[in-house]
Amino acid sequence: MADYLIHKFQYKDRYFLLDAESGAVHLVEPIVYDMLDGFIGGAKEDTINALSDKYDLETLELAWEELSTVQENGLFLQEYVPFNFEYNPDNIIKAMCLHVAHDCNLRCTYCFASQGDFQGTRCLMELDTGKKALEFLAKNSGNRYNLEVDFFGGEPMMNWDVVKELVAYGRELETIYNKNFRFTITTNGLLLNEDNIAFINEHMSNVVLSLDGRREVNDRMRSTVSGKGSYDLIVPKFQMLVGLRGDKDYYIRGTFTSNNLDFSEDVKLYKELGFNKTSMEPVVTDPREPYALHPHHMDEIMRQYDKLTDMMEEELKNKSGFLFFHFMLDLNQGPCVVKRSVGCGAGSEYIAVTPEGDIYPCHQFVGEEEYKLGNLDSGIANNMIRDKFKEANIMTKSSCSSCWAKYYCSGGCHANAYYNNGNILIPYEPGCEMEKKRLECSIYLSSIEKE
Amino acid sequence: MKLIRTLTGKSLKETAAKGGCGECQTACKTSTVGNQKCENEEQ
């Protein structure tokens, strides 16, 4: 069996060749695209003869020569060479999802956090617990300089005073430990006002603002405790926050379900509302739920990504600065191969801390007792679970090792794998399918952008 | 006439030597690493 891994695809009038093991992506002329199979598996003379009805001999010779050159340069048919590295041997922790509230003022139908309480008692994090969490992060961060803390819930703004005090405490710890805390917050926006928007825009390096798109789409899934829609309450607040935010990062982030398979319309609405940094994610839920995504929805989802590609192509031509998170791809200088191999770092470099101070691999495992890693007092006590996550990567996930997209998705989300297949090593297949489609769209858009 | 245009920068192998510094960021909370930025100035 060949140890190289290539993927060739056509998108609109462009032809692409991706060499997985080198990471190279090539934009090729149709003559090269047509020659690939012969170049890989056949003799030069036979291949050129077979194509001579369609192309002239001189250009066929040139195509063969260019393919030979990129192969000699290690950017085509590069063979898999296992590279040995020990991932996070010192068990450094650099990122924390801080659950300052296990309570919420919305009752979103699809919420993986059981409408905010994570299947437990509704509660808020005490300030002392939060301080202990930041100290735990600083003390366990080894030589890492950049540390990340995402204020999460539930709805983190239901515990706003604690959030503010923790930011101030983090700044104190920066001096003591020589660290840089990057604070971020994920909010539904209901409690935003001029004062807390000013604080967020000053102190949060990124803000994730939850909105599903069109009013009827959003309000069907994201209602208040009294059952009313949230769209009219939150959109003006998000517009105020974004209007005052300047160049700092934010994302308007939605979830699409089988109720809005035309989700490209929701992304268009983001733009109409003045939001330029956008993300729209497929719902991942129990397949028995009426809004769940199923295999028969895939064709329409793929069409929607094509529509979004058309939209983004226009935005690129107009240099509007509009961004769709899943189409952002830095082909010049993406992450290193280590990062691409291990993924998000959940359960190892990245942890979630509950209001009670319990530690889980990430926010999506909170409440799953068998996945509890420990708590802030005892530290990480469940080494078996930590090691399980440390060892989950594209080399150990068998379906990933032969996939051309492995260095882009990095094995996918462990939680999606666990909740769908009962095993963090078996990726969530519909997620893989969507990821591969988005990658093809992204590569096409990158080729447009480079012109 | 150039029939193949390479769109990528460094090969993955070239990023291995100084890779894994861990300084880069860990939008969505549910669904990829490929669209992250490298923050290692030595890369």
Side-chain angles (χ1 to χ4, degrees):
Chain A
M1 190 185 134
D3 272 346
Y4 59 80
L5 191 55
I6 65 164
H7 175 61
K8 60 174 188 170
F9 67 96
Q10 178 183 356
Y11 197 94
K12 295 189 180 178
D13 60 349
R14 297 191 173 213
Y15 298 82
F16 297 93
L17 169 61
L18 185 148
D19 187 67
E21 296 300 343
S22 69
V25 178
H26 310 284
L27 174 64
V28 303
E29 294 296 326
I31 186 173
V32 175
Y33 193 82
D34 288 346
M35 184 178 273
L36 285 170
D37 291 344
F39 185 90
I40 293 166
K44 179 179 178 182
E45 196 176 342
D46 294 343
T47 302
I48 287 179
N49 282 340
L51 293 169
S52 58
D53 288 347
K54 195 173 174 184
Y55 303 105
D56 69 77
L57 284 175
E58 189 182 350
T59 315
L60 283 165
E61 287 282 354
L62 185 62
W64 189 278
E65 191 181 318
E66 286 197 25
L67 277 171
S68 301
T69 301
V70 288
Q71 183 178 11
E72 285 161 16
N73 291 340
L75 299 176
F76 176 45
L77 302 183
Q78 183 73 10
E79 298 211 341
Y80 171 66
V81 179
F83 79 104
N84 295 315
F85 70 98
E86 190 183 357
Y87 173 51
N88 199 11
D90 299 325
N91 292 318
I92 283 171
I93 299 170
K94 56 164 277 199
M96 178 178 282
C97 185
L98 195 58
H99 292 228
V100 291
H102 274 190
D103 197 356
C104 193
N105 44 14
L106 287 186
R107 293 292 180 267
C108 304
T109 311
Y110 47 51
C111 183
F112 69 85
S114 305
Q115 281 83 42
D117 63 11
F118 288 83
Q119 306 168 64
T121 309
R122 294 186 182 278
C123 62
L124 302 178
M125 180 177 277
E126 300 281 347
L127 177 60
D128 283 349
T129 306
K131 284 183 170 180
K132 211 184 285 185
L134 296 188
E135 289 164 10
F136 183 84
L137 178 59
K139 286 175 181 170
N140 286 280
S141 59
N143 61 357
R144 298 290 188 272
Y145 176 66
N146 293 318
L147 306 183
E148 301 160 36
V149 177
D150 185 37
F151 293 109
F152 199 67
E155 172 48 47
M157 295 193 70
M158 292 180 77
N159 201 5
W160 182 243
D161 287 344
V162 165
V163 169
K164 284 199 298 186
E165 296 211 43
L166 288 176
V167 170
Y169 190 61
R171 299 294 173 231
E172 289 176 31
L173 293 178
E174 284 179 333
T175 309
I176 298 168
Y177 290 95
N178 187 31
K179 302 289 179 183
N180 174 42
F181 274 96
R182 288 173 173 166
F183 291 109
T184 59
I185 191 164
T186 301
T187 178
N188 64 34
L190 269 184
L191 295 174
L192 287 172
N193 59 40
E194 280 186 41
D195 287 345
N196 55 37
I197 283 174
F199 185 89
I200 284 171
N201 283 342
E202 182 178 354
H203 294 285
M204 303 292 171
S205 64
N206 188 19
V207 190
V208 177
L209 307 167
S210 302
L211 174 73
D212 282 355
R214 292 161 292 180
R215 180 185 284 105
E216 65 275 18
V217 169
N218 183 82
D219 288 354
R220 183 170 181 173
M221 301 303 279
R222 303 180 65 80
S223 65
T224 63
V225 176
S226 61
K228 291 180 179 168
S230 58
Y231 181 95
D232 289 327
L233 296 170
I234 58 177
V235 167
K237 295 179 178 189
F238 285 166
Q239 287 173 316
M240 176 160 59
L241 186 151
V242 168
L244 295 167
R245 192 154 173 81
D247 293 336
K248 292 182 87 167
D249 273 346
Y250 72 89
Y251 280 96
I252 286 283
R253 184 256 191 245
T255 298
F256 72 84
T257 71
S258 60
N259 291 333
N260 64 318
L261 288 172
D262 58 347
F263 59 89
S264 65
E265 295 301 319
D266 296 296
V267 178
K268 281 182 190 165
L269 179 83
Y270 290 156
K271 182 176 166 58
E272 289 165 17
L273 293 173
F275 303 129
N276 267 348
K277 298 178 180 179
T278 68
S279 180
M280 178 63 80
E281 318 290 330
V283 72
V284 179
T285 189
D286 186 324
R288 290 168 296 188
E289 294 289 358
Y291 52 83
L293 298 172
H294 293 288
H296 69 274
H297 295 134
M298 278 299 160
D299 285 349
E300 182 54 37
I301 290 170
M302 300 301 155
R303 274 194 290 274
Q304 291 296 309
Y305 282 127
D306 286 334
K307 286 187 171 186
L308 283 173
T309 304
D310 291 343
M311 176 184 172
M312 286 306 301
E313 191 170 350
E314 278 304 304
E315 300 298 336
L316 280 174
K317 284 174 182 166
N318 298 333
K319 299 188 186 324
S320 69
F322 186 82
L323 298 174
F324 180 63
F325 179 71
H326 273 146
F327 286 173
M328 292 163 67
L329 190 65
D330 183 355
L331 290 178
N332 279 333
Q333 175 76 71
C336 63
V337 68
V338 177
K339 169 98 171 195
R340 289 173 187 266
S341 300
V342 300
C344 65
S348 176
E349 292 180 282
Y350 170 44
I351 57 171
V353 176
T354 70
E356 299 88 352
D358 290 332
I359 301 171
Y360 288 88
C362 79
H363 57 293
Q364 297 227 37
F365 283 95
V366 165
E368 298 287 340
E369 280 306 299
E370 63 178 304
Y371 278 88
K372 192 160 99 176
L373 288 165
N375 61 55
L376 293 174
D377 293 321
S378 68
I380 305 287
N382 193 338
N383 290 322
M384 195 181 75
I385 291 294
R386 176 165 62 187
D387 290 346
K388 187 175 175 176
F389 277 81
K390 276 173 74 170
E391 290 160 10
N393 58 54
I394 58 172
M395 281 81 85
T396 57
K397 295 182 176 186
S398 57
S399 60
C400 296
S401 58
S402 58
C403 174
W404 64 267
K406 61 183 176 181
Y407 291 114
Y408 291 92
C409 79
S410 307
C413 172
H414 299 317
N416 289 354
Y418 172 70
Y419 287 114
N420 283 276
N421 298 319
N423 186 336
I424 66 170
L425 295 177
I426 304 175
Y428 169 57
E429 179 59 35
C432 300
E433 208 175 322
M434 287 185 272
E435 170 66 2
K436 284 187 260 195
K437 175 64 177 177
R438 292 189 301 245
L439 268 173
E440 290 187 348
C441 297
S442 307
I443 288 170
Y444 169 77
L445 289 167
S446 291
S447 75
I448 298 283
E449 195 172 17
K450 281 173 174 281
E451 286 178 346
Chain B
M1 183 179 184
K2 202 154 169 51
L3 304 174
I4 301 175
R5 195 173 146 223
T6 301
L7 302 174
T8 36
K10 278 184 180 175
S11 72
L12 290 180
K13 195 158 66 175
E14 288 174 296
T15 69
K18 290 177 179 171
C21 76
E23 294 295 352
C24 53
Q25 189 178 31
T26 299
C28 46
K29 293 286 202 179
T30 54
S31 55
T32 55
V33 170
N35 51 11
Q36 301 295 301
K37 293 281 183 192
C38 172
E39 297 190 38
N40 184 344
E41 289 175 4
E42 293 181 13
Q43 276 285 20

